[in-house]
Amino acid sequence: MANSSSSSSSTSMKLLLFMVPLVIVMVLALFFHGPSVSTTLVLNGKHKFSSSSNNNNNSSSSLFSNNNGGSDDVMLTKEEKNKTMAISDEYSPPTLHESLNKNEVDLNMSSKPWQVNESYYVPLPPLNESHVVPPKKEFSMLDRIEAGLIQARAAIKEARNWNQTQDPDYVPLGPMYWNAKAFHRSYLEMEKQFKVFIYEEGEPPVFHNGPCLSIYSSEGHFINAMEINEQFRTRDPQKAHYTMMVKFVYKSDFDFGPIKRTTIDYINLIASRYPFWNRSLGADHFMLSCHDWGPVISFAIPNLHKNSIRVLCNANTSERFNPTKDVSFPEINLLKGSIDDFVGGPSPSQRPILAFYAGRNHGPVRPILLDHWFNKDKDIQLYKTLPKGVSYYSMLRKSKFCLCPSGYEVASPRVVEAIYTGCVPVLISDHYVPPFSEVMNWKSFSIEVSLKDIPKLKEILLSVSPRKYIKMQRRVGQIRRHFEVHYPPRRYDVFHMILHSVWLRRLNIKIAKNSITPSSSPSSSSLFINNGDDNKTMHAFDDHHMSFFNNLSYFSPPALSLPEQYNQTEVVDHDISKTWASSAPLNESYVVPQRKFSILDRTEAGLLQARAAIRDARNWNQTLDQDYVPIGPVYRNAKAFHRSYLEMEKQFKVFVYKEGEPPIFHNGPCKSIYSMEGNFIHAIEMNEQFRTRDPKKAHVFFLPFSVVMMVRFVYERNSRDFGPIRTTVKDYINLIAGRYPYWNRSLGADHFMLSCHDWGPETSFSIPYLYKNSIRVLCNANTSEGFNPTKDVSLPEINLQTGTIDGFLGGPSASKRSILAFFAGGVHGPIRPILLEQWENKDEDIKVHKYLPKGVSYYGMLRKSKFCLCPSGYEVASPRVVEAIYTGCVPVLISDHYVPPFSDVLNWKSFSVEVSSRDIPKLKEILTNISSRQYIRMQRRVDNIRRHFEVHYPPKRFDVFHMILHSVWLRRLNIRIYDD
């Protein structure tokens, strides 16, 4: 037992002596080596960039490693990756999706030593005793700044997949922006993060100062606003995303030497006092200049020109302006130091001048413009100097287009002046990059004209349709906020837009502690976004198709959701200028996926449903109706008409403008030959079924003026001067166009006027859009005078001498009508003299009278006659048509170019006779050729359609009031109105 015990003890001692050194060696190995972290970014399944904390690997000192630069990182299979991720749960890194859901980037390494994308992998550290890395990395302030930019890039990329963020001040939306949601998210991220450090070195007036009351006022305003800003300015340069060099240098001679030396001395000073210029070679610094010589000043130091952001008014790509890193900002001429009294302008209908320009003749563009158009065309008004007493801004407000030719530099203050006054700017320039082009789609609200197209200027402007111009002018008003100057600055104004442009450029680069790498470059050693190929970059932006949000290639977040062709392409060369040059921006990117439909959208959807129901009506049985079911050959399509009428009753809404006072407005005659004017106006104003008080819900808009009342109270008798009437109509439409958006939205296409006076068409000529676009409800429906049956409505002329139809309705049967044809009336107009000459006292069967004999009843004669002759008078319409229908007499329409009432629904040939003026001599032959059988049918049909011409108080279904509304409803079904 003793030996056994001794042997066991000896074995234990040997085992202990063997294990202790082994444990010590393992502990020392772990202690001296420490965890070495290596990460690899995987995009689209291929090895793109890699970074490592191993400082011995010189090829990976930057975030981006050249694939040919000797990086030791390799792609792992799924099984190998799973093995390498065998790290304790305590240090399990969250996915990028999880961290973004938290809306933050966690830099507290005490709990999470790695914050990585789920595409990253963290391999187990190799044994390398010669290199020691502490287990917990110390993150610098720059690391934290860059981490915040990672988060911002990811948020911007994901913006298009989410609903628009609510904003109490303004929510960007519409085709004025390349990508409205991405811009909005970027702007909010800028407000949350962006910090600018301003070097304090330098003294006024050359530094920390600038002009505020001149054509270069943007310089002084931005410098002053930035210096007093508390939101974006930081006093700690360690926390800055960008550093601003504040200077203002200008001399009247052309010796750039002193200016360049001042710039060189200043940058040498700040480079010696601070580490930031040398850290990035100026890539996170920006200068600002609105002077023509701004680009020349930047050439003083190569790195200032090549690397730094140059915020310039003179954004000329032919002078090495690079839109991928430089910023174009607007030239604003604030002679009074503020924009008071300069902002705002009238609607398009109040702009009689097609195009306007006034300015000096200098630079390469203006002489060509003046040579071609100065005093050559009244529609294009060009001035070198405005006549005395003519206001420059009033001319802008009278003009549809404002010509903005380049001067000595490509930019022009007229661009902003046009935007301020609601005038569509016409950019006449080559090589110009308009302000904020990375955000704004300038083609949606301006015209770009090259030098070679100046001779075609009028042709280009006239090719812009009125509908398109209205859209452009409305968009000018919407983007105006981005060009306004305020004290203090307001959100989304020009100050904030300049900062946002600088912020976007900062998002494009990655600043490391000892190096800088543009996030769009594939090489860690490449400093320049375009790899030095300036010409290629400039050419890519000649068309200004710039969309930062669709094409930024960021280094960490998931790839941006691009069109299919982008995702199929290997993104190795991240020169974003190539991507922009090869594709047009996504103009539909502003559409919100979960769209909120406007009231107009819902209105148009209802009309779409109505159209479908009307088309399908002929395939179904007639809908039952307790009052009346249209049927028979008196209708072109009885089923379609009935369905259309029922849809009208269900949907149709009319907004009556409240503006105007009686007797000219909201009033009309009710007891005369023009009684339909007053009857309709009064009926629609009192109607509760079709009239709406909410204009947003209206299908059409009624202009409640009476031409008869204007003739009575405005027109000077026997003068034949329509000027006062036209002026009244023009003033009224200008009034409602200024107070409501609906006239300009459709150029009057969903508006209608009503007139039974001969001069109704003449009145509509007051406003071209009223004549061309609006629905004109006219008694004088004469196609030879511009009446268009596809959009205009023929209105029956009803002579209500007593104000009602009582006592006028009804007549005997055909067998009790002894007179073949009858007419009595004054001799006026072109047709009645022919009729009277041919038939007055010439035939016993055709009774034609100028005046009835004493004691003979007019309506008694109508009831004794088979046919009632209805010749045109001064106008093509005649009240005898409705008088014949009322008394059961078949009407004979003797007219040329006349469109009978409700012809879109009624088949007039089935119950009337149409005779042209040249066939008047054959009148008896035409009437006697109608057989008795055919006549009885026609006379019965006259009785069937009479209800459509009856006037009732209040109106009854299918009567003349409802038939007029139905005709307007049909025209509204033929058009589509858009919000924009």
Side-chain angles (χ1 to χ4, degrees):
M1 292 292 293
N3 290 337
S4 176
S5 175
S6 174
S7 176
S8 175
S9 175
S10 174
T11 301
S12 298
M13 288 295 296
K14 291 178 180 179
L15 182 61
L16 181 62
L17 291 173
F18 174 77
M19 291 297 294
V20 167
L22 181 61
V23 171
I24 293 172
V25 170
M26 292 176 65
V27 170
L28 290 175
L30 288 173
F31 177 80
F32 284 107
H33 176 71
S36 178
V37 180
S38 178
T39 61
T40 297
L41 174 60
V42 182
L43 293 178
N44 297 332
K46 299 193 177 182
H47 183 199
K48 303 303 177 193
F49 307 116
S50 65
S51 66
S52 174
S53 58
N54 188 346
N55 292 334
N56 290 335
N57 186 357
N58 296 329
S59 67
S60 58
S61 59
S62 168
L63 176 68
F64 304 107
S65 294
N66 192 323
N67 289 341
N68 299 323
S71 174
D72 293 328
D73 290 326
V74 296
M75 286 285 297
L76 295 185
T77 65
K78 184 176 181 180
E79 291 75 17
E80 292 171 333
K81 183 175 177 179
N82 289 336
K83 291 179 182 179
T84 60
M85 292 296 292
I87 304 175
S88 66
D89 291 339
E90 180 182 357
Y91 298 105
S92 176
T95 64
L96 180 63
H97 178 72
E98 291 170 349
S99 68
L100 287 180
N101 284 341
K102 296 177 183 179
N103 199 28
E104 63 181 4
V105 175
D106 191 350
L107 292 174
N108 185 1
M109 293 293 110
S110 61
S111 60
K112 300 173 184 174
W114 299 290
Q115 183 77 29
V116 297
N117 190 307
E118 55 189 357
S119 300
Y120 286 92
Y121 63 87
V122 185
L124 290 175
L127 185 61
N128 186 350
E129 297 182 359
S130 63
H131 176 63
V132 178
V133 178
K136 297 180 181 180
K137 180 181 177 181
E138 294 286 339
F139 282 86
S140 67
M141 182 63 71
L142 181 60
D143 294 327
R144 296 175 184 273
I145 289 174
E146 293 297 334
L149 295 179
I150 294 174
Q151 178 194 9
R153 296 183 190 109
I156 296 168
K157 289 178 181 178
E158 292 297 325
R160 70 166 63 208
N161 300 325
W162 304 97
N163 291 333
Q164 195 90 359
T165 306
Q166 295 297 320
D167 193 310
D169 293 327
Y170 179 65
V171 176
L173 190 66
M176 304 85 67
Y177 304 100
W178 292 122
N179 187 327
K181 288 196 286 185
F183 163 52
H184 194 197
R185 171 50 55 193
S186 175
Y187 185 92
L188 296 178
E189 291 294 328
M190 175 192 76
E191 289 186 316
K192 185 165 64 174
Q193 295 192 43
F194 198 37
K195 296 297 179 184
V196 177
F197 176 75
I198 303 176
Y199 286 116
E200 298 178 355
E201 284 70 19
E203 295 181 0
V206 175
F207 300 93
H208 304 281
N209 189 25
C212 293
L213 299 174
S214 75
I215 198 172
Y216 308 121
S217 61
S218 295
E219 270 192 32
H221 285 298
F222 184 85
I223 291 173
N224 296 339
M226 193 70 244
E227 296 243 353
I228 63 174
N229 189 275
E230 297 296 332
Q231 179 181 4
F232 297 104
R233 183 179 182 181
T234 178
R235 308 289 178 172
D236 184 355
Q238 299 285 349
K239 297 179 180 179
H241 295 83
Y242 256 116
T243 306
M244 179 180 176
M245 299 169 291
V246 183
K247 61 180 181 297
F248 169 70
V249 182
Y250 172 70
K251 288 192 175 184
S252 59
D253 55 38
F254 288 87
D255 180 10
F256 300 112
I259 299 177
K260 288 185 176 181
R261 281 194 296 273
T262 302
T263 304
I264 292 172
D265 291 343
Y266 187 76
I267 292 181
N268 283 336
L269 173 65
I270 61 165
S272 64
R273 292 188 177 180
Y274 304 88
F276 308 110
W277 176 271
N278 290 328
R279 180 184 69 180
S280 65
L281 295 179
D284 57 353
H285 289 59
F286 75 97
M287 62 165 281
L288 180 141
S289 173
C290 204
H291 197 276
D292 306 19
W293 299 348
V296 176
I297 294 172
S298 69
F299 298 153
I301 294 187
N303 287 332
L304 177 61
H305 157 58
K306 293 182 179 180
N307 303 344
S308 299
I309 294 180
R310 301 178 303 157
V311 183
L312 303 172
C313 286
N314 192 9
N316 190 341
T317 56
S318 68
E319 296 179 2
R320 290 182 281 181
F321 180 89
N322 181 359
T324 59
K325 76 166 190 66
D326 297 328
V327 172
S328 172
F329 84 114
E331 189 172 285
I332 304 176
N333 187 7
L334 293 182
L335 297 175
K336 297 181 180 179
S338 70
I339 61 173
D340 297 341
D341 302 327
F342 297 142
V343 175
S347 62
S349 61
Q350 295 175 285
R351 295 176 179 267
I353 302 173
L354 177 64
F356 164 71
Y357 164 76
R360 291 182 297 170
N361 187 11
H362 58 74
V365 178
R366 296 184 186 183
I368 301 174
L369 177 66
L370 290 164
D371 181 58
H372 274 89
W373 294 105
F374 184 67
N375 289 335
K376 300 292 178 62
D377 194 298
K378 64 179 181 180
D379 292 330
I380 299 181
Q381 299 192 17
L382 271 62
Y383 301 90
K384 296 178 182 178
T385 305
L386 278 176
K388 189 175 182 180
V390 177
S391 167
Y392 175 73
Y393 280 92
S394 67
M395 290 295 291
L396 288 177
R397 291 187 173 94
K398 292 179 182 177
S399 305
K400 290 182 171 64
F401 297 96
C402 175
L403 306 183
C404 310
S406 297
Y408 288 125
E409 61 176 299
V410 289
S412 170
R414 287 159 186 81
V415 176
V416 175
E417 291 166 351
I419 292 173
Y420 280 177
T421 55
C423 184
V424 174
V426 180
L427 312 182
I428 306 177
S429 177
D430 289 335
H431 314 296
Y432 179 46
V433 179
F436 318 136
S437 298
E438 67 277 358
V439 169
M440 294 182 184
N441 176 13
W442 277 78
K443 289 187 177 180
S444 70
F445 59 87
S446 69
I447 305 291
E448 296 181 11
V449 178
S450 63
L451 269 67
K452 66 177 183 294
D453 290 331
I454 289 177
K456 304 176 184 178
L457 181 60
K458 185 174 182 179
E459 178 185 348
I460 293 171
L461 299 183
L462 291 178
S463 67
V464 179
S465 67
R467 185 182 187 88
K468 182 178 180 182
Y469 175 79
I470 290 293
K471 293 179 180 180
M472 295 179 72
Q473 203 244 12
R474 187 178 297 125
R475 291 166 187 164
V476 167
Q478 289 172 320
I479 58 94
R480 189 179 66 200
R481 68 174 61 240
H482 301 315
F483 296 86
E484 292 179 355
V485 180
H486 294 288
Y487 306 96
R490 299 176 186 174
R491 298 182 70 219
Y492 297 99
D493 69 355
V494 69
F495 170 77
H496 289 87
M497 290 299 291
I498 294 170
L499 276 184
H500 181 263
S501 295
V502 176
W503 157 257
L504 278 184
R505 273 69 178 177
R506 180 61 178 87
L507 287 174
N508 259 342
I509 61 174
K510 167 73 167 74
I511 307 295
K513 192 171 184 179
N514 297 314
S515 65
I516 118 97
T517 307
S519 64
S520 54
S521 172
S523 171
S524 62
S525 60
S526 173
L527 180 63
F528 314 116
I529 293 178
N530 63 349
N531 294 327
D533 192 353
D534 287 340
N535 293 330
K536 178 168 60 178
T537 302
M538 294 170 190
H539 176 75
F541 283 85
D542 281 348
D543 293 330
H544 318 313
H545 285 167
M546 303 164 57
S547 180
F548 267 80
F549 304 117
N550 289 336
N551 301 291
L552 281 177
S553 300
Y554 294 125
F555 66 88
S556 177
L560 179 58
S561 175
L562 293 172
E564 187 176 353
Q565 65 266 27
Y566 287 98
N567 293 330
Q568 292 175 347
T569 305
E570 182 178 352
V571 189
V572 175
D573 184 355
H574 285 270
D575 184 348
I576 55 179
S577 65
K578 294 179 180 177
T579 306
W580 286 332
S582 63
S583 65
L586 301 177
N587 290 333
E588 299 297 328
S589 61
Y590 71 91
V591 179
V592 182
Q594 297 181 355
R595 181 182 175 187
K596 291 185 178 180
F597 289 95
S598 66
I599 295 177
L600 181 60
D601 293 327
R602 298 178 186 277
T603 299
E604 293 296 335
L607 294 178
L608 183 64
Q609 178 186 10
R611 293 185 195 106
I614 295 168
R615 289 193 191 102
D616 292 339
R618 69 174 62 204
N619 301 323
W620 303 95
N621 293 331
Q622 193 89 5
T623 305
L624 294 178
D625 195 310
Q626 61 181 0
D627 293 328
Y628 177 67
V629 176
I631 195 169
V634 292
Y635 301 102
R636 296 185 179 276
N637 188 326
K639 291 181 181 179
F641 164 53
H642 195 196
R643 171 49 54 194
S644 175
Y645 186 92
L646 295 177
E647 290 292 329
M648 176 192 75
E649 288 186 315
K650 184 167 63 175
Q651 294 191 44
F652 198 38
K653 295 297 178 184
V654 179
F655 179 76
V656 182
Y657 285 112
K658 300 176 182 178
E659 285 69 20
E661 295 182 0
I664 294 176
F665 301 92
H666 305 282
N667 189 27
C670 295
K671 295 181 179 181
S672 73
I673 197 173
Y674 307 120
S675 62
M676 283 312 301
E677 276 194 24
N679 280 305
F680 182 85
I681 291 174
H682 295 157
I684 193 64
E685 296 228 341
M686 295 186 297
N687 190 276
E688 296 297 330
Q689 179 182 2
F690 297 104
R691 183 180 182 183
T692 177
R693 309 288 177 171
D694 184 355
K696 294 180 180 178
K697 297 180 180 179
H699 295 85
V700 294
F701 301 81
F702 179 49
L703 304 169
F705 56 76
S706 169
V707 177
V708 176
M709 291 302 180
M710 281 192 277
V711 171
R712 183 181 301 177
F713 293 102
V714 176
Y715 172 70
E716 185 176 347
R717 192 175 180 83
N718 299 325
S719 68
R720 305 298 296 179
D721 179 13
F722 298 109
I725 296 177
R726 288 184 174 181
T727 301
T728 302
V729 174
K730 186 182 298 184
D731 290 345
Y732 187 75
I733 291 181
N734 284 335
L735 173 65
I736 58 123
R739 290 187 178 179
Y740 303 89
Y742 309 108
W743 176 271
N744 288 330
R745 181 182 68 180
S746 66
L747 291 178
D750 55 355
H751 288 58
F752 75 98
M753 61 165 282
L754 183 142
S755 173
C756 209
H757 197 277
D758 305 21
W759 297 348
E762 186 70 33
T763 303
S764 69
F765 300 153
S766 307
I767 301 281
Y769 294 140
L770 178 61
Y771 160 64
K772 293 181 180 179
N773 300 346
S774 299
I775 300 170
R776 301 180 302 158
V777 184
L778 303 172
C779 287
N780 191 8
N782 189 340
T783 56
S784 69
E785 295 180 1
F787 183 88
N788 180 2
T790 60
K791 76 168 189 68
D792 297 329
V793 172
S794 177
L795 174 70
E797 190 171 285
I798 303 177
N799 187 4
L800 294 181
Q801 294 180 353
T802 62
T804 69
I805 60 175
D806 297 339
F808 299 129
L809 299 182
S813 63
S815 60
K816 296 180 181 179
R817 295 179 179 265
S818 56
I819 302 173
L820 177 64
F822 165 72
F823 167 76
V827 183
H828 55 76
I831 292 180
R832 294 188 186 183
I834 301 174
L835 177 66
L836 283 140
E837 181 183 356
Q838 291 284 335
W839 294 104
E840 185 181 19
N841 298 323
K842 300 290 178 67
D843 195 297
E844 288 296 323
D845 293 329
I846 299 180
K847 304 287 187 181
V848 176
H849 304 275
K850 292 180 183 176
Y851 303 101
L852 281 175
K854 189 174 182 181
V856 176
S857 169
Y858 176 73
Y859 278 92
M861 291 294 291
L862 290 176
R863 290 186 174 94
K864 292 178 182 179
S865 305
K866 289 182 173 67
F867 297 96
C868 292
L869 306 183
C870 308
S872 296
Y874 287 125
E875 60 175 301
V876 289
S878 170
R880 287 160 185 79
V881 176
V882 176
E883 291 168 350
I885 293 173
Y886 280 178
T887 56
C889 181
V890 175
V892 180
L893 311 182
I894 306 176
S895 176
D896 293 328
H897 315 295
Y898 179 47
V899 179
F902 317 136
S903 298
D904 37 25
V905 169
L906 300 180
N907 177 16
W908 278 79
K909 289 184 179 180
S910 70
F911 60 87
S912 69
V913 179
E914 295 183 8
V915 177
S916 65
S917 58
R918 69 175 181 273
D919 289 332
I920 291 177
K922 303 177 183 178
L923 182 60
K924 185 173 182 178
E925 178 185 351
I926 293 171
L927 298 181
T928 55
N929 283 338
I930 298 173
S931 66
S932 299
R933 185 181 186 90
Q934 184 181 359
Y935 173 79
I936 289 174
R937 290 176 181 172
M938 295 177 71
Q939 204 240 12
R940 188 179 298 129
R941 291 167 186 166
V942 167
D943 289 336
N944 289 339
I945 58 93
R946 190 180 68 196
R947 69 174 61 242
H948 300 316
F949 294 86
E950 292 177 359
V951 181
H952 295 287
Y953 304 97
K956 297 179 181 179
R957 297 183 71 219
F958 295 99
D959 70 355
V960 68
F961 171 76
H962 288 87
M963 290 299 291
I964 296 169
L965 278 183
H966 180 263
S967 294
V968 176
W969 157 258
L970 282 184
R971 272 70 179 174
R972 180 62 178 85
L973 284 174
N974 272 339
I975 61 175
R976 170 78 165 90
I977 306 296
Y978 295 87
D979 274 318
D980 190 8

